[in-house]
Amino acid sequence: MTRVLVLQGPNLNLLGTREPEIYGRDTLDDINAEIAVRADELDLEVDFFQSNHEGALIDRLHARDFDVAIVNAGGLTHTSVALRDALLGVARPFVEVHLSDPSTREPFRKVNFLRDVAVESIVGKGARGYHLALESIARRFDAAGSGG
């Protein structure tokens, strides 16, 4: 069975109350519950990790106990070369997900240290973006003959 790590960055623990006009009203727990259901339907094993600390996210990646990741790095997308280096260093494919489309927001959000090293970027689809990422992972791993 393909093991998927869902890695959530800073401030995503505030979903549901933080700028709901941008990020929606679903909490992180709501989103994770929906991801777990969809992952089960797709025969994917899923593990969740959220931290407001860059080093904790990097340490989690270094565990290398997953086949592929879904990464919503939050604001670290625009600032963290270290997170980019960790994603490259663990040599696991990942799909980048953002609830909003950062490129349509403040100018500083146009910088993205992850997009060019992700196998796919899904932005601006809200919580549905995680489902699209899971479906993409299921297709890719089935096509490669590596999946469950």
Side-chain angles (χ1 to χ4, degrees):
M1 182 178 284
T2 301
R3 298 167 299 163
V4 180
L5 171 64
V6 179
L7 191 76
Q8 306 273 17
N11 300 311
L12 290 166
N13 58 303
L14 298 177
L15 288 175
T17 59
R18 177 184 174 225
E19 300 176 276
E21 68 281 1
I22 295 173
Y23 301 110
R25 299 208 178 274
D26 290 337
T27 67
L28 185 59
D29 286 342
D30 295 337
I31 291 170
N32 286 347
E34 293 171 10
I35 291 170
V37 168
R38 187 65 183 128
D40 188 56
E41 292 169 354
L42 294 167
D43 199 27
L44 299 170
E45 179 183 325
V46 68
D47 187 33
F48 301 96
F49 186 80
Q50 186 277 327
S51 180
N52 294 319
H53 304 281
E54 181 180 40
L57 296 167
I58 291 168
D59 287 344
R60 180 63 186 89
L61 288 168
H62 286 184
R64 294 184 188 193
D65 59 352
F66 60 95
D67 301 305
V68 60
I70 296 172
V71 178
N72 183 341
L76 293 175
T77 301
H78 320 293
T79 63
S80 183
V81 173
L83 183 60
R84 174 195 171 93
D85 288 348
L87 285 160
L88 288 169
V90 299
R92 302 289 192 279
F94 73 97
V95 176
E96 176 190 27
V97 171
H98 293 283
L99 298 166
S100 68
D101 183 348
S103 71
T104 64
R105 297 178 55 202
E106 302 92 340
F108 68 86
R109 294 188 196 273
K110 293 183 186 342
V111 173
N112 184 324
F113 285 107
L114 306 182
R115 177 167 288 141
D116 68 315
V117 294
V119 295
E120 184 175 356
S121 289
I122 301 171
V123 300
K125 303 289 186 190
R128 179 165 152 50
Y130 293 101
H131 294 244
L132 295 171
L134 288 170
E135 291 161 10
S136 176
I137 289 165
R139 279 192 308 275
R140 287 173 191 274
F141 274 73
D142 283 345
S146 302

PDB file of all heavy atoms in Angstrom, residues 100-118:
ATOM      1  N   SER A 100      -5.727  28.432  -1.204  1.00  0.00           N
ATOM      2  CA  SER A 100      -5.921  29.600  -2.068  1.00  0.00           C
ATOM      3  C   SER A 100      -4.889  29.527  -3.191  1.00  0.00           C
ATOM      4  O   SER A 100      -4.071  28.606  -3.238  1.00  0.00           O
ATOM      5  CB  SER A 100      -5.737  30.892  -1.256  1.00  0.00           C
ATOM      6  OG  SER A 100      -4.389  31.047  -0.854  1.00  0.00           O
ATOM      7  N   ASP A 101      -4.928  30.509  -4.083  1.00  0.00           N
ATOM      8  CA  ASP A 101      -3.902  30.608  -5.119  1.00  0.00           C
ATOM      9  C   ASP A 101      -2.962  31.738  -4.724  1.00  0.00           C
ATOM     10  O   ASP A 101      -3.276  32.913  -4.938  1.00  0.00           O
ATOM     11  CB  ASP A 101      -4.527  30.884  -6.478  1.00  0.00           C
ATOM     12  CG  ASP A 101      -3.502  30.915  -7.598  1.00  0.00           C
ATOM     13  OD1 ASP A 101      -2.286  30.952  -7.314  1.00  0.00           O
ATOM     14  OD2 ASP A 101      -3.920  30.932  -8.771  1.00  0.00           O
ATOM     15  N   PRO A 102      -1.818  31.396  -4.123  1.00  0.00           N
ATOM     16  CA  PRO A 102      -0.916  32.437  -3.636  1.00  0.00           C
ATOM     17  C   PRO A 102      -0.476  33.431  -4.703  1.00  0.00           C
ATOM     18  O   PRO A 102      -0.261  34.604  -4.408  1.00  0.00           O
ATOM     19  CB  PRO A 102       0.289  31.657  -3.110  1.00  0.00           C
ATOM     20  CG  PRO A 102      -0.228  30.290  -2.834  1.00  0.00           C
ATOM     21  CD  PRO A 102      -1.313  30.050  -3.848  1.00  0.00           C
ATOM     22  N   SER A 103      -0.392  32.997  -5.948  1.00  0.00           N
ATOM     23  CA  SER A 103       0.108  33.880  -7.006  1.00  0.00           C
ATOM     24  C   SER A 103      -0.857  35.019  -7.324  1.00  0.00           C
ATOM     25  O   SER A 103      -0.473  35.983  -7.985  1.00  0.00           O
ATOM     26  CB  SER A 103       0.413  33.079  -8.273  1.00  0.00           C
ATOM     27  OG  SER A 103      -0.788  32.639  -8.881  1.00  0.00           O
ATOM     28  N   THR A 104      -2.092  34.931  -6.842  1.00  0.00           N
ATOM     29  CA  THR A 104      -3.070  35.991  -7.097  1.00  0.00           C
ATOM     30  C   THR A 104      -3.220  36.924  -5.898  1.00  0.00           C
ATOM     31  O   THR A 104      -4.081  37.801  -5.901  1.00  0.00           O
ATOM     32  CB  THR A 104      -4.451  35.396  -7.431  1.00  0.00           C
ATOM     33  OG1 THR A 104      -4.941  34.689  -6.288  1.00  0.00           O
ATOM     34  CG2 THR A 104      -4.381  34.469  -8.631  1.00  0.00           C
ATOM     35  N   ARG A 105      -2.392  36.728  -4.907  1.00  0.00           N
ATOM     36  CA  ARG A 105      -2.493  37.508  -3.669  1.00  0.00           C
ATOM     37  C   ARG A 105      -1.357  38.532  -3.567  1.00  0.00           C
ATOM     38  O   ARG A 105      -0.950  39.087  -4.579  1.00  0.00           O
ATOM     39  CB  ARG A 105      -2.547  36.545  -2.494  1.00  0.00           C
ATOM     40  CG  ARG A 105      -3.826  35.659  -2.580  1.00  0.00           C
ATOM     41  CD  ARG A 105      -3.949  34.658  -1.499  1.00  0.00           C
ATOM     42  NE  ARG A 105      -3.876  35.297  -0.186  1.00  0.00           N
ATOM     43  CZ  ARG A 105      -3.535  34.643   0.923  1.00  0.00           C
ATOM     44  NH1 ARG A 105      -3.253  33.360   0.880  1.00  0.00           N
ATOM     45  NH2 ARG A 105      -3.482  35.271   2.071  1.00  0.00           N
ATOM     46  N   GLU A 106      -0.826  38.772  -2.407  1.00  0.00           N
ATOM     47  CA  GLU A 106       0.224  39.773  -2.238  1.00  0.00           C
ATOM     48  C   GLU A 106       1.437  39.429  -3.100  1.00  0.00           C
ATOM     49  O   GLU A 106       1.727  38.266  -3.344  1.00  0.00           O
ATOM     50  CB  GLU A 106       0.667  39.835  -0.761  1.00  0.00           C
ATOM     51  CG  GLU A 106      -0.448  40.160   0.206  1.00  0.00           C
ATOM     52  CD  GLU A 106      -1.142  38.931   0.780  1.00  0.00           C
ATOM     53  OE1 GLU A 106      -1.048  37.831   0.181  1.00  0.00           O
ATOM     54  OE2 GLU A 106      -1.799  39.064   1.821  1.00  0.00           O
ATOM     55  N   PRO A 107       2.158  40.468  -3.543  1.00  0.00           N
ATOM     56  CA  PRO A 107       3.310  40.226  -4.432  1.00  0.00           C
ATOM     57  C   PRO A 107       4.345  39.258  -3.869  1.00  0.00           C
ATOM     58  O   PRO A 107       4.910  38.457  -4.622  1.00  0.00           O
ATOM     59  CB  PRO A 107       3.910  41.627  -4.621  1.00  0.00           C
ATOM     60  CG  PRO A 107       2.757  42.558  -4.410  1.00  0.00           C
ATOM     61  CD  PRO A 107       1.892  41.906  -3.358  1.00  0.00           C
ATOM     62  N   PHE A 108       4.606  39.294  -2.558  1.00  0.00           N
ATOM     63  CA  PHE A 108       5.629  38.399  -1.993  1.00  0.00           C
ATOM     64  C   PHE A 108       5.240  36.931  -2.125  1.00  0.00           C
ATOM     65  O   PHE A 108       6.096  36.061  -2.067  1.00  0.00           O
ATOM     66  CB  PHE A 108       5.941  38.753  -0.535  1.00  0.00           C
ATOM     67  CG  PHE A 108       4.821  38.495   0.440  1.00  0.00           C
ATOM     68  CD1 PHE A 108       4.650  37.251   1.025  1.00  0.00           C
ATOM     69  CD2 PHE A 108       3.941  39.518   0.784  1.00  0.00           C
ATOM     70  CE1 PHE A 108       3.622  37.015   1.926  1.00  0.00           C
ATOM     71  CE2 PHE A 108       2.908  39.292   1.689  1.00  0.00           C
ATOM     72  CZ  PHE A 108       2.747  38.042   2.259  1.00  0.00           C
ATOM     73  N   ARG A 109       3.944  36.642  -2.289  1.00  0.00           N
ATOM     74  CA  ARG A 109       3.503  35.250  -2.419  1.00  0.00           C
ATOM     75  C   ARG A 109       3.757  34.675  -3.816  1.00  0.00           C
ATOM     76  O   ARG A 109       3.546  33.496  -4.053  1.00  0.00           O
ATOM     77  CB  ARG A 109       2.032  35.115  -2.049  1.00  0.00           C
ATOM     78  CG  ARG A 109       1.761  35.416  -0.581  1.00  0.00           C
ATOM     79  CD  ARG A 109       0.338  35.078  -0.202  1.00  0.00           C
ATOM     80  NE  ARG A 109      -0.046  35.688   1.050  1.00  0.00           N
ATOM     81  CZ  ARG A 109       0.162  35.152   2.258  1.00  0.00           C
ATOM     82  NH1 ARG A 109       0.746  33.984   2.363  1.00  0.00           N
ATOM     83  NH2 ARG A 109      -0.232  35.786   3.343  1.00  0.00           N
ATOM     84  N   LYS A 110       4.211  35.494  -4.727  1.00  0.00           N
ATOM     85  CA  LYS A 110       4.548  35.002  -6.066  1.00  0.00           C
ATOM     86  C   LYS A 110       5.835  34.174  -6.038  1.00  0.00           C
ATOM     87  O   LYS A 110       6.075  33.365  -6.913  1.00  0.00           O
ATOM     88  CB  LYS A 110       4.653  36.160  -7.050  1.00  0.00           C
ATOM     89  CG  LYS A 110       3.301  36.834  -7.293  1.00  0.00           C
ATOM     90  CD  LYS A 110       3.384  37.924  -8.309  1.00  0.00           C
ATOM     91  CE  LYS A 110       2.112  38.720  -8.495  1.00  0.00           C
ATOM     92  NZ  LYS A 110       0.871  38.204  -8.035  1.00  0.00           N
ATOM     93  N   VAL A 111       6.667  34.382  -5.023  1.00  0.00           N
ATOM     94  CA  VAL A 111       7.874  33.564  -4.839  1.00  0.00           C
ATOM     95  C   VAL A 111       7.430  32.199  -4.333  1.00  0.00           C
ATOM     96  O   VAL A 111       6.661  32.096  -3.384  1.00  0.00           O
ATOM     97  CB  VAL A 111       8.838  34.219  -3.825  1.00  0.00           C
ATOM     98  CG1 VAL A 111       9.998  33.290  -3.519  1.00  0.00           C
ATOM     99  CG2 VAL A 111       9.309  35.559  -4.331  1.00  0.00           C
ATOM    100  N   ASN A 112       7.900  31.142  -4.981  1.00  0.00           N
ATOM    101  CA  ASN A 112       7.525  29.785  -4.581  1.00  0.00           C
ATOM    102  C   ASN A 112       8.767  28.906  -4.711  1.00  0.00           C
ATOM    103  O   ASN A 112       9.221  28.636  -5.820  1.00  0.00           O
ATOM    104  CB  ASN A 112       6.385  29.262  -5.456  1.00  0.00           C
ATOM    105  CG  ASN A 112       5.894  27.904  -5.024  1.00  0.00           C
ATOM    106  OD1 ASN A 112       6.663  27.054  -4.590  1.00  0.00           O
ATOM    107  ND2 ASN A 112       4.605  27.669  -5.152  1.00  0.00           N
ATOM    108  N   PHE A 113       9.285  28.474  -3.573  1.00  0.00           N
ATOM    109  CA  PHE A 113      10.496  27.644  -3.563  1.00  0.00           C
ATOM    110  C   PHE A 113      10.213  26.160  -3.805  1.00  0.00           C
ATOM    111  O   PHE A 113      11.148  25.373  -3.876  1.00  0.00           O
ATOM    112  CB  PHE A 113      11.242  27.810  -2.237  1.00  0.00           C
ATOM    113  CG  PHE A 113      11.974  29.114  -2.116  1.00  0.00           C
ATOM    114  CD1 PHE A 113      11.499  30.108  -1.290  1.00  0.00           C
ATOM    115  CD2 PHE A 113      13.130  29.340  -2.839  1.00  0.00           C
ATOM    116  CE1 PHE A 113      12.172  31.317  -1.177  1.00  0.00           C
ATOM    117  CE2 PHE A 113      13.812  30.550  -2.741  1.00  0.00           C
ATOM    118  CZ  PHE A 113      13.330  31.539  -1.909  1.00  0.00           C
ATOM    119  N   LEU A 114       8.934  25.785  -3.914  1.00  0.00           N
ATOM    120  CA  LEU A 114       8.596  24.363  -4.013  1.00  0.00           C
ATOM    121  C   LEU A 114       8.063  23.938  -5.380  1.00  0.00           C
ATOM    122  O   LEU A 114       8.233  22.789  -5.781  1.00  0.00           O
ATOM    123  CB  LEU A 114       7.561  23.997  -2.945  1.00  0.00           C
ATOM    124  CG  LEU A 114       7.918  24.344  -1.506  1.00  0.00           C
ATOM    125  CD1 LEU A 114       6.825  23.888  -0.565  1.00  0.00           C
ATOM    126  CD2 LEU A 114       9.258  23.768  -1.121  1.00  0.00           C
ATOM    127  N   ARG A 115       7.397  24.828  -6.071  1.00  0.00           N
ATOM    128  CA  ARG A 115       6.679  24.462  -7.292  1.00  0.00           C
ATOM    129  C   ARG A 115       7.536  23.697  -8.296  1.00  0.00           C
ATOM    130  O   ARG A 115       7.098  22.695  -8.852  1.00  0.00           O
ATOM    131  CB  ARG A 115       6.067  25.703  -7.940  1.00  0.00           C
ATOM    132  CG  ARG A 115       5.359  25.359  -9.271  1.00  0.00           C
ATOM    133  CD  ARG A 115       4.490  26.467  -9.765  1.00  0.00           C
ATOM    134  NE  ARG A 115       3.318  26.503  -8.886  1.00  0.00           N
ATOM    135  CZ  ARG A 115       2.738  27.602  -8.464  1.00  0.00           C
ATOM    136  NH1 ARG A 115       3.192  28.769  -8.828  1.00  0.00           N
ATOM    137  NH2 ARG A 115       1.689  27.533  -7.684  1.00  0.00           N
ATOM    138  N   ASP A 116       8.746  24.142  -8.535  1.00  0.00           N
ATOM    139  CA  ASP A 116       9.552  23.518  -9.583  1.00  0.00           C
ATOM    140  C   ASP A 116      10.119  22.153  -9.197  1.00  0.00           C
ATOM    141  O   ASP A 116      10.620  21.435 -10.055  1.00  0.00           O
ATOM    142  CB  ASP A 116      10.676  24.455 -10.043  1.00  0.00           C
ATOM    143  CG  ASP A 116      11.735  24.681  -8.986  1.00  0.00           C
ATOM    144  OD1 ASP A 116      11.363  24.910  -7.812  1.00  0.00           O
ATOM    145  OD2 ASP A 116      12.936  24.637  -9.321  1.00  0.00           O
ATOM    146  N   VAL A 117      10.030  21.786  -7.918  1.00  0.00           N
ATOM    147  CA  VAL A 117      10.508  20.465  -7.508  1.00  0.00           C
ATOM    148  C   VAL A 117       9.355  19.520  -7.140  1.00  0.00           C
ATOM    149  O   VAL A 117       9.585  18.345  -6.853  1.00  0.00           O
ATOM    150  CB  VAL A 117      11.548  20.544  -6.370  1.00  0.00           C
ATOM    151  CG1 VAL A 117      12.820  21.232  -6.884  1.00  0.00           C
ATOM    152  CG2 VAL A 117      11.015  21.243  -5.138  1.00  0.00           C
ATOM    153  N   ALA A 118       8.135  20.037  -7.153  1.00  0.00           N
ATOM    154  CA  ALA A 118       6.953  19.202  -6.903  1.00  0.00           C
ATOM    155  C   ALA A 118       6.577  18.458  -8.186  1.00  0.00           C
ATOM    156  O   ALA A 118       6.817  18.954  -9.290  1.00  0.00           O
ATOM    157  CB  ALA A 118       5.780  20.084  -6.459  1.00  0.00           C
TER     158      ALA A 118
END
